[in-house]
């Protein structure tokens, strides 16, 4: 075996490990039914007239990514739904690995299903990690802007990631990028400079008619540099978690999985008319 091939396998494994590391051990329990959400008999109230669709991140799924946040919203009177997307054949539980543009088509179908069930004219979207990126394709290219009012991205890789510089090593290993694209297309799509990101961000980050909020943490070790998460546009609210609570140490996984300060700010974005200040005390809200 050629020397570069010996190095290729551990490099690819390292890339996969870097992403898998952010997924909680609870993934083993993904088969457990959600509690209080994905209730298709739920009808939005006058106070919360739009259903909320939750979009999980890479290597996650519709249950584990939202074990804390979905009940948080249900307790506040929202109709909440979550989908699985980006599945690869023969890979159970770990989703969001397929081509991101195809995942956006799955989101398109799911949103239509939710709107039909609830009778709502529009939905709101909240996504974590890749879930904060992929819906932008749906909004921009698949007609989603007409069906979505608010989109909240929590630790999204809107302009790709360098994985703390690790992806910069790929060109030094012939065949590595092709292997990554073939085995896990979504990972390749999320690397800075990918063809997917070039297409998505050409002509501007946002589309008219949608209210965008991005919530990031400066301790993000997966989407780097963290400021690349922020969007530019006329209807964008970019938030750094540590500006709300300087002692919040949440990194990439925690901000989406269990950080109630981030949850509070996301809830403010969903219902700005009744927003309250987000600070360190929001952990008790």
């Amino acid at each position: 075996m050629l020397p570069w091939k010996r190095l290729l396998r551990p490099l690819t494994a390292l890339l996969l490990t870097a992403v898998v590391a952010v997924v909680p051990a609870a993934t083993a329990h993904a088969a457990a039914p959600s509690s209080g959400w994905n209730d298709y008999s739920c009808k939005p109230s006058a106070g919360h007239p739009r259903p909320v669709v939750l979009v999980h991140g890479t290597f996650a799924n519709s249950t584990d990514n939202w074990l804390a946040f979905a009940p948080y919203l249900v307790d506040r009177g929202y109709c909440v739904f979550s989908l699985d997307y980006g599945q690869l054949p023969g890979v159970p539980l770990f989703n969001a690995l397929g081509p991101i543009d195809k995942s956006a088509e799955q989101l398109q179908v799911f949103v239509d299903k939710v709107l039909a069930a609830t009778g709502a004219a529009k939905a709101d979207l909240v996504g974590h990690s890749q879930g904060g990126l992929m819906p932008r394709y749906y909004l921009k290219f698949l007609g989603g802007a007409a069906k979505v009012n608010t989109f909240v991205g929590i630790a999204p890789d809107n302009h790709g990631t360098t994985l703390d510089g690790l992806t910069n090593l790929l060109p030094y290993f012939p065949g590595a990028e092709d292997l990554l694209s073939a085995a896990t297309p979504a990972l390749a799509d999320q690397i800075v400079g990918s063809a997917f990101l070039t297409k998505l961000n050409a002509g501007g980050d946002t589309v008219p008619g949608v209210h965008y909020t991005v919530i990031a943490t400066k301790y993000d070790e997966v989407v780097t540099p963290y400021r690349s998460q922020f969007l530019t546009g006329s209807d964008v609210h970019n938030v750094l978690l540590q500006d709300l609570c300087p002692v919040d140490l949440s990194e990439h996984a925690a901000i989406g999985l269990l950080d109630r300060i981030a949850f509070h700010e996301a809830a403010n974005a969903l219902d700005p008319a009744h927003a309250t200040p987000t600070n360190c005390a929001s952990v008790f809200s």
Side-chain angles (χ1 to χ4, degrees):
M1 182 181 290
L2 295 176
W4 66 263
K5 288 187 177 180
R6 294 193 189 101
L7 292 172
L8 175 58
R9 289 180 179 175
L11 176 62
T12 303
L14 185 58
L15 280 167
L16 295 176
T17 301
V19 182
V20 173
V22 310
V23 181
T27 302
H29 305 289
S34 59
S35 176
W37 79 96
N38 284 330
D39 175 5
Y40 285 89
S41 67
C42 185
K43 299 301 180 183
S45 65
H48 300 305
R50 293 179 300 275
V52 179
V53 173
L54 305 179
V55 190
H56 65 73
T58 308
F59 281 99
N61 57 68
S62 62
T63 300
D64 288 338
N65 209 141
W66 307 115
L67 288 173
F69 187 53
Y72 181 95
L73 292 179
V74 170
D75 288 346
R76 284 155 179 77
Y78 288 91
C79 292
V80 181
F81 302 85
S82 61
L83 77 157
D84 285 303
Y85 70 89
Q87 301 91 335
L88 291 181
V91 181
L93 303 181
F94 298 102
N95 299 328
L97 297 174
I100 297 181
D101 57 348
K102 299 303 180 184
S103 294
E105 293 176 4
Q106 291 179 269
L107 176 62
Q108 178 186 31
V109 172
F110 189 80
V111 170
D112 285 347
K113 177 182 176 181
V114 168
L115 293 180
T118 60
K122 288 188 175 185
D124 291 331
L125 306 179
V126 180
H128 177 218
S129 193
Q130 184 190 152
L133 165 70
M134 177 271 279
R136 290 181 51 223
Y137 191 95
Y138 162 60
L139 297 175
K140 193 169 189 177
F141 298 112
L142 301 177
K147 300 177 181 180
V148 173
N149 183 75
T150 298
F151 175 37
V152 181
I154 301 174
D157 47 348
N158 281 314
H159 299 96
T161 179
T162 67
L163 278 176
D164 279 326
L166 186 60
T167 61
N168 296 331
L169 300 176
L170 286 171
Y172 295 98
F173 299 91
E177 292 175 278
D178 291 339
L179 177 60
L180 194 65
S181 295
T184 51
L187 297 185
D189 284 346
Q190 294 175 82
I191 294 175
V192 170
S194 72
F196 171 81
L197 288 169
T198 299
K199 177 181 177 179
L200 177 64
N201 293 320
D205 291 346
T206 64
V207 293
V210 180
H211 309 294
Y212 294 82
T213 292
V214 174
I215 306 172
T217 171
K218 69 179 182 181
Y219 299 114
D220 199 312
E221 78 287 17
V222 174
V223 183
T224 58
Y226 74 86
R227 290 195 178 277
S228 68
Q229 300 175 29
F230 294 144
L231 295 171
T232 299
S234 60
D235 196 349
V236 173
H237 181 47
N238 292 314
V239 181
L240 182 63
L241 191 61
Q242 286 71 34
D243 288 341
L244 305 176
C245 178
V247 297
D248 193 319
L249 301 179
S250 288
E251 38 63 69
H252 184 79
I255 189 177
L257 297 176
L258 50 84
D259 194 304
R260 290 178 69 92
I261 297 170
F263 294 175
H264 187 273
E265 188 65 9
N268 279 347
L270 295 174
D271 187 9
H274 300 96
T276 58
T278 303
N279 49 46
C280 295
S282 299
V283 72
F284 303 110
S285 64

